[in-house]
């Protein structure tokens, strides 16, 4: 029996690395799969991890239809044993429905990876639907840490180091962009306390350097 598997966690917990490892493991056992992603930090049609690993992938725009794609591949003589789907938080609920149909009707395993909540602490559409439909939902055990050393549970969007809570849901940025030491738009993982206080690593450092600011931890 095929399964719809969802692996979730905050940024920096190794989701994309695990997606790459999952694809590698199945390939080495002779299985044939397809890799999908959406809005990857490395650019279109690429699945990449912060460890520097990457593979070519199929980009998933908002109008992509998984059911039609898979059926088309199979009827033209192709073979598909599994799908690896990264960044599923950006998929639509209808695309998640299509993935569940691929599992149920075609007996093809789906391994999906994504963030649960956006920078406003609201569930992403794709992740919410995954939770509703997946056969297995697993939280990754690698814990990302807030700047204070506590377990990070929330994703924050930053602009010039300061946390923002309004704006478009999908804005691709990366705090590890070497060409921009202080990105205009970046992302950072925080514990709930410091997310609530809107205290990023940059603002915490600024506060620590000010003699007029009381301890903040």
């Amino acid at each position: 029996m095929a399964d719809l598997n969802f692996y979730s966690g905050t940024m920096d917990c190794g989701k994309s690395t695990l997606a790459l490892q999952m694809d590698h493991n199945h390939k080495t056992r002779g299985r044939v799969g397809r890799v999908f992603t959406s809005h990857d930090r490395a650019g279109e049609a690429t699945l990449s991890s912060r460890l520097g690993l990457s593979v070519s992938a199929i980009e998933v725009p908002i109008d992509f239809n998984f059911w039609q794609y898979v059926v088309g591949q199979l009827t033209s003589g192709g073979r598909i044993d599994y799908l690896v789907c990264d960044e599923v938080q950006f998929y639509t609920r209808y695309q998640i429905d299509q993935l569940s149909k691929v599992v149920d009707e075609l007996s093809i395993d789906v391994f999906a990876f994504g963030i649960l909540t956006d920078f406003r602490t609201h569930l992403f559409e794709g992740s919410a639907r995954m939770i509703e439909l997946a056969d297995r939902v697993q939280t990754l055990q690698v814990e990302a840490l807030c700047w204070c050393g506590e377990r990070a549970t929330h994703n924050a969007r930053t602009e010039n180091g300061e946390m923002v809570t309004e704006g478009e849901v999908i804005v691709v940025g990366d705090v590890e962009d070497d060409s921009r030491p202080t990105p205009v738009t970046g992302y950072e993982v925080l514990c709930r306390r410091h997310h609530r206080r809107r205290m990023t690593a940059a603002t915490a450092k600024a506060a620590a350097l000010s003699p007029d600011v009381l301890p903040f931890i």
Side-chain angles (χ1 to χ4, degrees), residues 133-155:
L133 296 182
D135 297 297
R136 295 184 179 86
V137 177
Q138 300 185 43
T139 301
L140 298 192
Q141 297 304 305
V142 177
E143 293 187 350
L145 299 179
C146 177
W147 59 264
C148 69
E150 294 295 323
R151 177 173 176 264
T153 54
H154 290 65
N155 304 299

Side-chain angles (χ1 to χ4, degrees), residues 93-113:
R93 63 182 291 107
Y94 305 108
Q95 289 170 329
I96 304 303
D97 289 344
Q98 293 158 15
L99 288 172
S100 68
K101 186 176 181 180
V102 166
V103 172
D104 295 339
E105 303 296 330
L106 303 176
S107 295
I108 293 174
D109 287 310
V110 172
F111 304 98
F113 303 80

